[in-house]
Amino acid sequence: MNELELKYGCNPNQKPARIFMKHGEDLPVTVLNGRPGYINFLDALNSWQLVKELKEATGMPAAASFKHVSPAGAAVGKPLSEIDKQIYFVDDDAELSPIACAYIRARGADRLCSYGDWAALSDVCDAACATYLKQEVSDGIIAPGFTDEALEILKSKKKGNYNIVQIDPSYVPEQQECKDVFGITFEQGHNFFEINEALLDNVVSANKEIPSDAKTDLIVALITLKHTQSNSVCYVKDGQTIGVGAGQQSRIHCTRLAGDKADNWYLRQHPKVLGLQFVDDIRRPSRDNAIDVYTSDEYEDVLAEGVWQETFKVKPEPLTREERAAWVAQQSGVSCGSDAFFPFGDNVERARKSGVDYIAEPGGSIRDDNVIEACDKYGIALAFTGMRLFHH
């Protein structure tokens, strides 16, 4: 099939809309269920590139959770810890395949932003992954294949209208790509740049040690950034993004946004949060929203008398600002990537507050010495990759 008609474009007034192959060849995607829209396919094709490259770079199954053409989270398929299972709400008896672990961790990076996501898998979707995804609010999924059982499970979502897209994993795009903006056609070479450990060889800080696990985390960060709307900064720990700051005009705002998300991810592991007793049959989005508010300065919004009873069986004690700060201060071993150079040392100052010990960024700022000095102040290992990763 050469083209696929869509319901409408980015908005309902933008009609007609379609995806098609301009030279008449077949589309590399097949819709197995549902009716994906314009934004769905933007998310699907961007997220597929991310997970495909993560799998190629790390050798591990990879997954991503996309919203509005940027990842809310991405991860490789490392096993889940007991804490992971708690904060990602995995059933005790759940089957956990590597690709299921990858998606659970990708979605768990920022559960609030993953609400209504587009899921992407590097490997065939199995029943274990489909069973977890069935419980979540999601718009669709793209993968190179689906087992019969997984397909049956996913087709039952959204009253049978869940979007399921299969992509040919051997598909390679043309060297040149085009898009129209305001009636004017832009053309550029597709970004085939390969991200691997060799990018991390130029360590310019006093601390030259970047352990193997941290190198994997930096690769996860850089590949994620390659497919994130710029400007962007990404924090990664143990093979999963824990904070993505995307589409900000100022790089320090990217660093703060990603750092705040990383802090929120870590706060969900606080004993007070793990001990929250939710009312029976609470919906997952309501629970996620309640946790997000409880761990913020607005915690009274869910703890006020007459309100907390809607969410909790027992009224929780507040998680104070002092307790939050003390908990986040324990964080360490985090890796941070940036899609372009840090122009000032203030980015390093913010990153280290969220436990960052390793940074990879292109370098090339006239203030590189200030950035290196800030890293040396905290013993952070800094690698200059020499490669910008803007994505628009």
Side-chain angles (χ1 to χ4, degrees):
M1 182 173 62
N2 170 256
E3 70 174 70
L4 183 65
E5 183 181 354
L6 306 177
K7 189 174 182 180
Y8 49 75
C10 284
N11 299 291
N13 64 297
Q14 293 177 271
K15 300 177 182 179
R18 62 174 176 153
I19 59 171
F20 66 98
M21 303 297 283
K22 60 185 177 183
H23 297 308
E25 62 271 39
D26 286 339
L27 285 163
V29 292
T30 303
V31 178
L32 302 181
N33 198 67
R35 189 183 181 188
Y38 189 98
I39 295 174
N40 290 149
F41 271 113
L42 287 177
D43 282 341
L45 297 177
N46 277 282
S47 60
W48 164 249
Q49 293 176 78
L50 192 163
V51 299
K52 184 174 186 289
E53 290 182 36
L54 267 186
K55 173 70 178 287
E56 291 170 349
T58 66
M60 290 180 277
S65 174
F66 253 61
K67 281 288 292 292
H68 292 291
V69 207
S70 282
V76 293
K78 291 186 176 182
L80 301 179
S81 69
E82 290 305 312
I83 293 293
D84 289 337
K85 292 177 184 178
Q86 285 183 265
I87 65 175
Y88 304 147
F89 305 108
V90 178
D91 295 337
D92 291 337
D93 59 349
E95 181 185 348
L96 295 174
S97 63
I99 194 63
C101 288
Y103 178 70
I104 291 167
R105 299 170 89 238
R107 187 178 181 104
D110 187 347
R111 289 187 56 85
L112 208 63
C113 287
S114 284
Y115 178 86
D117 72 337
W118 186 277
L121 308 181
S122 66
D123 292 21
V124 170
C125 180
D126 58 15
C129 190
T131 298
Y132 184 83
L133 184 53
K134 182 182 178 181
Q135 304 174 75
E136 303 289 359
V137 179
S138 172
D139 273 1
I141 183 173
I142 187 169
F146 300 83
T147 67
D148 290 343
E149 188 178 0
L151 202 54
E152 183 179 353
I153 292 168
L154 293 175
K155 282 183 175 180
S156 69
K157 278 182 68 65
K158 299 184 74 171
K159 299 180 180 179
N161 294 314
Y162 188 63
N163 294 312
I164 305 172
V165 176
Q166 183 169 322
I167 187 165
D168 176 1
S170 67
Y171 169 71
V172 178
E174 294 183 2
Q175 292 287 331
Q176 293 297 111
E177 59 187 17
C178 303
K179 71 175 180 179
D180 289 351
V181 178
F182 199 50
I184 297 171
T185 300
F186 288 64
E187 184 177 43
Q188 66 175 356
H190 181 79
N191 191 357
F192 286 105
F193 182 74
E194 181 181 347
I195 293 171
N196 53 42
E197 281 195 15
L199 272 186
L200 308 175
D201 288 345
N202 184 23
V203 182
V204 296
S205 54
N207 178 7
K208 305 292 183 183
E209 296 299 317
I210 303 180
S212 177
D213 284 350
K215 287 182 178 179
T216 298
D217 287 350
L218 289 171
I219 287 172
V220 171
L222 294 173
I223 292 176
T224 299
L225 292 167
K226 184 182 175 186
H227 301 286
T228 301
Q229 297 299 295
S230 300
N231 288 322
S232 55
V233 168
C234 180
Y235 292 52
V236 175
K237 188 170 185 179
D238 195 27
Q240 75 172 93
T241 66
I242 59 173
V244 180
Q248 304 302 302
Q249 290 78 17
S250 165
R251 189 149 305 275
I252 186 58
H253 288 154
C254 296
T255 307
R256 289 171 183 163
L257 177 58
D260 290 347
K261 290 184 176 185
D263 294 347
N264 288 342
W265 172 82
Y266 194 50
L267 282 169
R268 281 156 48 200
Q269 303 173 48
H270 192 283
K272 281 190 172 182
V273 179
L274 295 177
L276 292 172
Q277 299 180 49
F278 294 97
V279 296
D280 295 335
D281 300 322
I282 187 171
R283 296 179 65 248
R284 286 189 169 216
S286 298
R287 181 183 56 199
D288 292 337
N289 288 340
I291 291 172
D292 187 69
V293 176
Y294 176 73
T295 56
S296 73
D297 285 334
E298 284 76 44
Y299 59 83
E300 283 294 345
D301 289 353
V302 291
L303 297 187
E305 193 60 37
V307 175
W308 69 263
Q309 293 92 337
E310 299 173 5
T311 303
F312 305 106
K313 292 180 178 178
V314 178
K315 184 178 181 180
E317 292 184 0
L319 183 60
T320 67
R321 181 177 294 183
E322 292 75 21
E323 288 175 313
R324 299 200 306 269
W327 183 257
V328 169
Q330 301 177 72
Q331 179 72 290
S332 64
V334 177
S335 295
C336 174
S338 176
D339 66 353
F341 61 67
F342 281 161
F344 300 100
D346 56 355
N347 291 278
V348 177
E349 294 283 350
R350 174 61 190 89
R352 68 97 187 173
K353 291 177 181 177
S354 294
V356 168
D357 288 320
Y358 313 99
I359 295 176
E361 52 115 322
S365 167
I366 60 173
R367 298 180 182 84
D368 277 349
D369 55 347
N370 177 242
V371 176
I372 295 170
E373 181 182 7
C375 286
D376 289 344
K377 178 180 176 182
Y378 300 108
I380 294 172
L382 171 65
F384 279 170
T385 67
M387 177 57 66
R388 195 178 75 179
L389 298 169
F390 277 177
H391 178 64
H392 291 288

